[in-house]
């Protein structure tokens, strides 16, 4: 059982006031808040051992290199990757997806098919559109139903020998739906297709085991799991990472350069051109250690309580419609109140100290499916409380009265 008040004390931002009201932060799907241990780790890096890595013989460079590679090992253990060199540091989920999409162009030909789902974030749609335009492949979409779930029977029908890659999110950022990725990976592999899982929204809530999942690629961002912005992870199976060409050229990713020919460094450096976000990589390891100290099983249990409680309280508001009603979902509630634009609600409750996300959440195909301009999205984290949900619901009622 989580000691919520102790956990909240770890996050200095949660004690402040916004617009004269205690902050209620329900925009965790966009980015999480940072515990003091993460903030301290950032300060420690820049105060005591800031240096470039992998190249220097001097002490600070060695300290920074050791800390950076230790973080890679921490992440390897966290996601249960077979090798530490299967963990590639990136700038975030979007970069990881683009890296894979760029590299897959070498293996895709006209007439092949790349499959995504109707529940994807734009960052797991647009790079594959680029790939299809470049190669002459066709983009195929797994449809969704009214509950915000993928239609698995249609996935089975759409999957064919032409399918070369399937890219789906683990959890929908807009609706919170947890997708049946184990089934999708298994069936795709039976057709010889590679699978990329967008884990940006999953990693704050659960601990992925990439070997058990047997996915070919798994991507996520540090800033959604209590880490810094500008850093993320691409996990790739060794066999795929060795086959894919480098995404960027420059320092660090080379073995030898002449004007006639360049040979590339071994994994993981082949995909880590230039000076990386050293502080980000190191502190991502700190963030993951912190979340593991809280415990992902306890996080999942508590966040499910918040989801159940929040759903019940919101359903008491007349004219409120929730989008995404799968029984298998994370602690995200997207909704609208009849006759009121979501932006107007968001602006009013911000004056009451409440932070939520409004709009299409970079998932316009989902909004088009429901024929709405966007939603209000409340996304809960393990440091939120039922009392905050009560404050939120009362603020929504006030906004509804003002705007009706």
């Amino acid at each position: 059982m989580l000691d919520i008040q102790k956990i909240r004390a770890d996050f200095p931002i949660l004690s402040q006031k916004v617009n004269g009201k205690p902050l209620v932060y329900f925009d965790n799907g966009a980015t999480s808040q940072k515990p003091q241990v993460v903030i301290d780790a950032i300060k420690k890096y820049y105060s005591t051992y800031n240096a470039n890595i992998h190249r220097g013989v001097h002490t600070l460079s060695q300290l920074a290199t050791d800390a950076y590679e230790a973080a890679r090992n921490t992440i390897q253990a966290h996601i249960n990757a077979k090798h530490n060199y299967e963990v590639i540091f990136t700038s975030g989920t979007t970069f990881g997806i683009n890296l894979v999409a760029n590299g897959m162009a070498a293996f895709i030909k006209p007439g092949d098919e790349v499959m995504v789902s109707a529940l994807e974030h734009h960052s797991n749609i647009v790079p594959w559109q680029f790939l299809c335009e470049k190669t002459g492949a066709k983009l195929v979409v797994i449809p969704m139903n009214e509950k915000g779930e993928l239609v698995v029977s249609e996935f089975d029908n759409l999957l064919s020998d032409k399918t070369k890659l399937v890219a789906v999110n683990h959890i929908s950022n807009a609706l919170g739906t947890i997708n049946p990725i184990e089934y999708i990976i298994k069936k795709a592999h039976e057709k010889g297709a590679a699978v990329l899982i967008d884990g940006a929204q999953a990693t704050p809530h659960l601990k992925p085991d990439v070997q058990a999942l047997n996915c070919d690629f798994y991507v996520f961002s540090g800033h959604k799991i209590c880490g810094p912005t500008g850093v993320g992870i691409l996990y790739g199976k060794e066999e795929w990472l060795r086959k894919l060409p480098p995404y960027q050229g420059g320092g660090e990713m080379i073995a030898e350069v002449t004007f006639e020919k360049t040979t590339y460094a071994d994994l993981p450096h082949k995909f880590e051109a230039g000076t990386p976000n050293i502080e980000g990589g190191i502190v991502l390891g700190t963030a993951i250690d912190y979340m593991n100290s809280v415990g992902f099983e306890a996080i999942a249990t508590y966040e499910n309580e918040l989801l159940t409680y929040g759903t019940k309280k919101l359903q008491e508001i007349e004219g409120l419609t929730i989008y995404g009603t799968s029984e298998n979902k994370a602690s995200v509630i997207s909704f609208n109140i009849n006759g009121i634009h979501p932006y107007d609600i968001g602006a009013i409750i911000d004056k009451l100290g409440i932070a939520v996300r409004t709009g299409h959440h970079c998932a316009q195909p989902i909004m088009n499916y429901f024929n709405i301009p966007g939603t209000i999205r409340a996304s809960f984290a393990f440091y939120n409380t039922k009392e905050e949900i009560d404050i939120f619901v009362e603020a929504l009622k006030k906004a509804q009265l003002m705007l009706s």
Side-chain angles (χ1 to χ4, degrees):
M1 186 173 178
L2 298 183
D3 184 341
I4 301 305
Q5 293 311 312
K6 181 175 182 297
I7 288 170
R8 286 179 64 83
D10 291 339
F11 292 81
I13 201 169
L14 297 181
S15 63
Q16 75 166 320
K17 292 187 175 182
V18 172
N19 294 318
K21 302 288 185 180
L23 171 64
V24 174
Y25 187 80
F26 286 168
D27 195 20
N28 296 287
T31 199
S32 67
Q33 296 302 340
K34 319 305 173 193
Q36 189 65 51
V37 66
V38 164
I39 298 166
D40 290 344
I42 295 170
K43 181 180 179 182
K44 180 180 178 182
Y45 169 73
Y46 284 117
S47 299
T48 64
Y49 62 106
N50 173 45
N52 214 325
I53 58 173
H54 297 142
R55 303 183 184 92
V57 297
H58 62 83
T59 299
L60 292 187
S61 180
Q62 292 297 316
L63 288 171
T65 299
D66 290 348
Y68 193 75
E69 292 305 324
R72 194 190 307 273
N73 292 338
T74 294
I75 295 156
Q76 175 201 357
H78 179 71
I79 64 174
N80 193 31
K82 188 174 183 180
H83 305 289
N84 66 354
Y85 52 77
E86 293 177 316
V87 174
I88 309 298
F89 281 109
T90 67
S91 64
T93 300
T94 298
F95 188 101
I97 295 170
N98 277 275
L99 187 159
V100 175
N102 180 79
M104 288 299 295
F107 305 96
I108 303 291
K109 62 183 186 300
D112 287 343
E113 294 180 350
V114 175
M115 188 178 293
V116 299
S117 89
L119 288 174
E120 300 311 308
H121 187 281
H122 295 165
S123 62
N124 206 24
I125 299 173
V126 179
W128 307 115
Q129 290 176 326
F130 288 168
L131 175 62
C132 290
E133 290 167 4
K134 185 187 298 184
T135 62
K138 179 184 177 184
L139 191 72
V140 176
V141 181
I142 309 165
M144 60 182 279
N145 62 23
E146 288 285 338
K147 295 177 74 174
E149 301 167 327
L150 297 183
V151 184
V152 176
S153 60
E154 285 300 308
F155 164 70
D156 291 336
N157 292 335
L158 291 167
L159 198 61
S160 75
D161 293 334
K162 293 181 180 180
T163 310
K164 301 304 176 188
L165 184 133
V166 178
V168 296
N169 56 37
H170 198 159
I171 295 178
S172 164
N173 75 301
L175 303 180
T177 307
I178 303 174
N179 288 319
I181 62 169
E182 294 88 348
Y183 181 84
I184 289 170
I185 293 165
K186 179 177 180 292
K187 298 299 286 188
H189 282 169
E190 288 175 3
K191 293 294 184 180
V195 182
L196 178 142
I197 302 298
D198 171 358
Q201 294 294 327
T203 46
H205 307 293
L206 53 84
K207 193 171 182 175
D209 184 331
V210 294
Q211 289 193 73
L213 289 172
N214 197 28
C215 56
D216 300 286
F217 305 100
Y218 196 99
V219 292
F220 63 93
S221 298
H223 71 95
K224 295 183 190 293
I225 52 173
C226 297
T229 56
V231 66
I233 294 299
L234 162 64
Y235 158 79
K237 283 183 180 175
E238 179 180 5
E239 61 189 275
W240 270 111
L241 294 179
R242 295 207 181 279
K243 287 192 291 187
L244 291 181
Y247 182 43
Q248 294 180 327
E252 192 70 21
M253 53 74 65
I254 56 90
E256 184 178 1
V257 174
T258 68
F259 286 114
E260 289 72 36
K261 182 174 176 61
T262 293
T263 54
Y264 306 126
D266 203 357
L267 298 173
H269 307 298
K270 172 183 171 184
F271 295 106
E272 295 183 349
T275 299
N277 181 355
I278 301 167
E279 159 258 309
I282 293 169
V283 179
L284 176 54
T286 304
I288 285 175
D289 281 341
Y290 173 80
M291 293 197 69
N292 278 316
S293 74
V294 176
F296 277 87
E297 286 189 13
I299 287 172
T301 299
Y302 179 67
E303 288 180 346
N304 189 61
E305 288 180 20
L306 292 179
L307 174 64
T308 301
Y309 184 80
T311 300
K312 181 176 179 294
K313 295 293 289 187
L314 286 169
Q315 286 173 332
E316 295 172 2
I317 297 177
E318 188 176 348
L320 187 144
T321 301
I322 293 175
Y323 300 93
T325 55
S326 172
E327 291 181 10
N328 194 22
K329 66 180 286 188
S331 53
V332 173
I333 308 177
S334 279
F335 63 93
N336 281 328
I337 297 176
N338 289 353
I340 305 174
H341 196 282
Y343 177 85
D344 295 336
I345 295 276
I348 287 177
I349 65 174
D350 172 62
K351 301 301 182 186
L352 300 173
I354 299 167
V356 294
R357 182 69 37 162
T358 62
H360 54 64
H361 317 299
C362 293
Q364 285 179 313
I366 293 176
M367 305 305 142
N368 292 339
Y369 176 88
F370 289 114
N371 196 29
I372 53 177
T375 67
I376 303 154
R377 184 187 70 185
S379 47
F380 309 131
F382 60 94
Y383 43 69
N384 290 129
T385 66
K386 292 177 181 177
E387 290 75 19
E388 288 181 314
I389 291 172
D390 291 339
I391 293 168
F392 173 52
V393 170
E394 289 307 308
L396 288 173
K397 290 177 180 177
K398 290 179 183 177
Q400 185 181 32
L401 281 174
M402 290 174 64
L403 296 167
S404 294

